[in-house]
Amino acid sequence: MESVYAQYVWAVPIFPLLAFLLLTLARCAVKGIAACIGVGSSLIACVLSILILLERLTANTDVYTVNFDWLSFGAVHFQLGYELTNLNALMLVIVTVVSTLVNLYAKGYMADDERQSVFFAYIGLFTFSMLGLVISPNLLQLYIFWELVGVCSFLLIGFWYERPAARAAAKKAFIMTRIGDVGLLIAILILFWHMPNHALDFQTIAQVFASTETMSQYGISAGLATWIASLIFLGAIGKSGQFPLHTWLPDAMEGPTPISALIHAATMVAAGVYLVARAFDIFQVSQTALLIVASVGGFTAIFAATIAIAQRDIKRILAYSTVSQLGYMMLALGLGAVTAGIFHLFTHAFFKALLFLGAGSIIHAVHTQNIFHIGGRGRSMKITAWTFAIGALALSGVPPLSGFWSKDAILSIAWESNKLLFVVGVITAFLTAFYMSRLFFMAFTGASASSTLETTVGASGAADGVRSKPGSSSNVHKETESTIHESPAVMTIPLVVLAILAVVAGFVYTPFNSGFETWLTGEAASDHTNLIVIIISTFVALSGIGLGYVVYGPKGVREDRWSNVIKPLYHLIERKYYVDELYTLFFAYPLKGLGKVLYIFDRYIIDGLVRCTANFTVQFGKWFTRVQNGQLQSYGLLSLYGFSALLLLLLLLGKGVW
């Protein structure tokens, strides 16, 4: 059957781009116009994406590709274009749905910001970059959009640039992700050298890596394939915040909350997981590379989960949760379960966006991010509380919400393939349920933290939504209990929609409905039904929530008193295992020292030599200007001196002195 909507897939990223261009050029001065442009453009892209996905579900599932020459050097042709597969059709819907809801939410959240048009322009460019990455038919085009996504994250994380912490976080995100991008670039260069006709399109890559014979034909050994896959994964480590390049992701919370939701749910961090899945033809030929992916993913999952249980900032808890869940996805991909990994990416996009936007709703009301200074918001913010509870339960893996089905798919694969990683996944699930119940009970239940909420803003920056003046040492914001109320409808409607999606999205792929795997990968569906795993995962999730209720529930403690019992361990976790301090000690300080040495060398040796040469030239020129004074008698005297010197030289040569 002929594809009707597939031929318009190029238009999906165009609409956010048009919003960016319009907002950048026009700089809409009328309040609300910028938000309307942002919401409208993303909504059109969302509708078109859904139509494309529905067509892929019901009609033609062949790969639809359009290419055109961009640059040509002899026999080498660099191409641009777009490609539609079932995988990127699903990704288009994820990105555009979340982007539309985030734009709508931001209309209320950023209503008082004087740079509203800039904010929505940046969101448009960010969405365009991610959509362009998703539909790229080759690695070169993907890399171009990959870097553009990084630039957009820099702009949005540092949007409130008057805050020193926001500027530092933006630079950190940009630099840390660049480290991983170097690996991806090297992998692309290696593939460019070995691919037939230097082609970098995914279809050619799939054909070459289809068997060891075709690999050998183009000079690719098993070891080289491992290196290529590992270098691609290094790029994914940077973008998706995997250990050890994860430290930028929690710091990215300095950006506005709508951006936190967009980054953590559907754009930047999703790019790394998508890249591994898109280039899985390379990974599947190397068991070593798959083991690396699974091991890094498993370690990241449990590592970030342990950190989250001791954080006090509501957005940082969710940030470390994202790092942990991304580890889950990488674990699944490393075990060869592409469907399970993408399925968890699909469900995670909705409940994580819900949690971040719910956190933003709280912050918007109370102007603090410390969960121990919130308390009792469930009474005054019922919609936020109920929707946040749904997101927390979905993330915790409570049946029958979406997170349960996607986690169960991953744990079932781990049970069959690697018992150690299964144990890691189960422990991570328990910790996830515990820290999410801790967050919910501290923020929404019990008595209010105080009758007056007060946030002192210091050098590290303000609570999200409270903009401190540049250079001010402190700024105190107070809210009385009577002024705290539910967020406006423009902010709560996206919460309700995402809550519904967090409930129903999981039914796409259950043990009783396995058609999703066949549709996504084109392979026969595997039986991932495992009653033991279902029982274990359910018990673990409920146990984590139960422990959280006992410790932090309405009748529990309202602070981390248990930290005194295991103070050294708690302090270690609270300080994030001192990873940032270790990076500073072993990388930042040596690089700063090297920079100082190079500065001294440049200033006093390189510049010194240049200055000496310049001074000599100037002094010589000054002396020579004395000779060229325009006086005839001086020129005659110089001619006499020259003639005498020449005559003396001839006499000496004639006598054989030289």
Side-chain angles (χ1 to χ4, degrees):
M1 184 180 295
E2 183 182 357
S3 298
V4 177
Y5 296 109
Q7 59 186 319
Y8 300 111
V9 67
W10 57 270
V12 177
I14 291 299
F15 287 106
L17 178 62
L18 290 175
F20 165 73
L21 295 174
L22 182 60
L23 291 170
T24 302
L25 296 174
R27 292 293 181 94
C28 301
V30 180
K31 190 175 182 179
I33 294 296
C36 292
I37 293 174
V39 173
S41 63
S42 58
L43 180 60
I44 295 172
C46 179
V47 171
L48 181 56
S49 298
I50 293 173
L51 291 174
I52 291 172
L53 179 62
L54 291 176
E55 183 177 68
R56 301 291 297 183
L57 288 170
T58 58
N60 191 1
T61 57
D62 294 335
V63 176
Y64 185 89
T65 307
V66 174
N67 289 304
F68 58 88
D69 285 344
W70 175 38
L71 294 174
S72 297
F73 300 95
V76 179
H77 299 276
F78 293 111
Q79 293 185 321
L80 297 180
Y82 51 91
E83 184 172 84
L84 184 63
T85 66
N86 291 344
L87 172 60
N88 56 28
L90 181 65
M91 287 297 300
L92 289 176
V93 171
I94 294 173
V95 175
T96 54
V97 167
V98 174
S99 176
T100 301
L101 295 173
V102 166
N103 271 284
L104 180 61
Y105 178 93
K107 186 178 186 297
Y109 194 88
M110 303 294 291
D112 297 327
D113 196 283
E114 64 271 16
R115 298 173 62 232
Q116 190 180 118
S117 62
V118 178
F119 179 79
F120 283 99
Y122 286 169
I123 289 185
L125 183 62
F126 200 11
T127 306
F128 161 74
S129 304
M130 185 62 191
L131 293 172
L133 184 153
V134 167
I135 65 173
S136 296
N138 59 72
L139 273 173
L140 178 61
Q141 183 176 330
L142 183 145
Y143 185 76
I144 294 171
F145 284 105
W146 182 274
E147 293 300 322
L148 191 55
V149 167
V151 172
C152 294
S153 69
F154 172 80
L155 295 172
L156 286 165
I157 294 170
F159 180 75
W160 286 328
Y161 55 83
E162 66 271 21
R163 301 183 188 177
R167 296 196 300 269
K171 290 187 290 185
K172 186 175 185 179
F174 192 79
I175 294 170
M176 292 291 286
T177 54
R178 293 291 76 69
I179 296 172
D181 294 351
V182 172
L184 177 58
L185 178 60
I186 295 173
I188 292 174
L189 292 174
I190 296 173
L191 287 170
F192 173 77
W193 182 260
H194 286 277
M195 289 296 101
N197 299 320
H198 303 291
L200 290 170
D201 60 281
F202 291 108
Q203 294 186 41
T204 301
I205 291 173
Q207 293 170 3
V208 171
F209 284 89
S211 65
T212 55
E213 290 77 11
T214 54
M215 288 168 54
S216 300
Q217 181 181 349
Y218 295 103
I220 301 175
S221 63
L224 183 59
T226 299
W227 273 107
I228 294 172
S230 300
L231 288 168
I232 292 175
F233 181 56
L234 182 59
I237 287 175
K239 277 290 189 290
S240 291
Q242 300 294 283
F243 181 88
L245 300 180
H246 67 284
T247 56
W248 70 269
L249 197 50
D251 288 358
M253 297 302 95
E254 293 296 334
T257 297
I259 295 310
S260 301
L262 195 59
I263 290 176
H264 285 250
T267 53
M268 187 158 173
V269 299
V273 178
Y274 172 78
L275 174 64
V276 176
R278 193 73 177 89
F280 197 74
D281 294 300
I282 301 175
F283 285 85
Q284 66 182 356
V285 302
S286 172
Q287 291 301 314
T288 303
L290 289 176
L291 180 61
I292 292 172
V293 174
S295 300
V296 171
F299 179 80
T300 302
I302 194 169
F303 176 80
T306 57
I307 296 176
I309 64 175
Q311 300 303 303
R312 291 170 173 261
D313 186 308
I314 186 171
K315 288 177 66 178
R316 285 185 180 269
I317 295 172
L318 296 177
Y320 279 107
S321 170
T322 299
V323 175
S324 180
Q325 298 307 305
L326 290 167
Y328 252 114
M329 299 171 203
M330 291 299 185
L331 187 155
L333 293 172
L335 294 176
V338 176
T339 304
I342 294 300
F343 181 45
H344 195 49
L345 176 65
F346 173 67
T347 61
H348 177 267
F350 302 128
F351 59 70
K352 185 52 61 71
L354 169 61
L355 290 169
F356 268 109
L357 296 184
S361 181
I362 299 172
I363 297 166
H364 190 263
V366 302
H367 300 290
T368 182
Q369 296 179 198
N370 191 326
I371 60 173
F372 292 91
H373 295 165
I374 301 175
R377 293 306 107 216
R379 292 186 298 276
S380 55
M381 306 180 70
K382 295 185 182 298
I383 297 177
T384 299
W386 280 104
T387 54
F388 195 94
I390 291 173
L393 291 173
L395 175 59
S396 300
V398 174
L401 304 181
S402 59
F404 167 76
W405 301 112
S406 56
K407 281 189 177 182
D408 177 70
I410 296 174
L411 292 175
S412 296
I413 296 296
W415 172 274
E416 298 172 0
S417 305
N418 191 313
K419 290 297 192 295
L420 176 60
L421 290 177
F422 172 78
V423 173
V424 169
V426 168
I427 296 174
T428 302
F430 174 80
L431 294 173
T432 302
F434 174 71
Y435 66 67
M436 286 308 301
S437 60
R438 169 181 179 261
L439 189 163
F440 180 81
F441 291 130
M442 292 302 300
F444 291 101
T445 67
S448 300
S450 62
S451 59
T452 301
L453 294 168
E454 182 176 300
T455 304
T456 301
V457 183
S460 61
D464 192 8
V466 184
R467 302 192 66 175
S468 58
K469 295 180 180 180
S472 62
S473 59
S474 65
N475 179 23
V476 178
H477 186 90
K478 295 183 178 180
E479 290 286 348
T480 61
E481 187 69 24
S482 60
T483 62
I484 298 173
H485 53 80
E486 184 60 87
S487 299
V490 72
M491 294 173 62
T492 55
I493 289 174
L495 296 181
V496 174
V497 174
L498 287 169
I500 295 172
L501 291 173
V503 174
V504 303
F507 293 101
V508 168
Y509 184 50
T510 69
F512 317 104
N513 176 27
S514 57
F516 176 73
E517 183 173 4
T518 302
W519 175 81
L520 185 67
T521 63
E523 300 176 358
S526 58
D527 183 12
H528 66 284
T529 305
N530 192 315
L531 184 60
I532 296 176
V533 173
I534 291 176
I535 294 173
I536 292 175
S537 61
T538 303
F539 174 77
V540 164
L542 296 178
S543 299
I545 294 173
L547 179 62
Y549 179 82
V550 170
V551 178
Y552 298 104
K555 297 181 180 179
V557 300
R558 306 310 293 172
E559 58 182 79
D560 277 347
R561 294 175 185 171
W562 62 274
S563 63
N564 295 324
V565 180
I566 51 172
K567 192 170 184 178
L569 177 60
Y570 182 85
H571 190 65
L572 178 66
I573 296 173
E574 188 180 32
R575 295 302 300 270
K576 300 161 286 187
Y577 298 101
Y578 294 96
V579 173
D580 283 307
E581 289 79 0
L582 291 172
Y583 283 172
T584 301
L585 179 63
F586 290 106
F587 294 102
Y589 287 158
L591 288 174
K592 285 183 179 179
L594 177 62
K596 290 179 179 178
V597 171
L598 294 176
Y599 170 76
I600 293 172
F601 179 80
D602 181 68
R603 180 173 182 179
Y604 295 103
I605 297 179
I606 302 299
D607 284 355
L609 179 61
V610 172
R611 283 194 297 270
C612 287
T613 304
N615 290 335
F616 172 78
T617 304
V618 170
Q619 294 302 322
F620 181 78
K622 288 181 178 179
W623 177 83
F624 204 70
T625 57
R626 295 177 183 177
V627 177
Q628 299 292 337
N629 55 14
Q631 297 180 0
L632 184 60
Q633 61 271 28
S634 298
Y635 296 156
L637 185 60
L638 285 174
S639 299
L640 180 60
Y641 287 157
F643 178 75
S644 301
L646 181 61
L647 183 61
L648 178 61
L649 179 62
L650 292 174
L651 290 173
L652 292 173
L653 290 173
K655 292 183 177 181
V657 176
W658 290 331

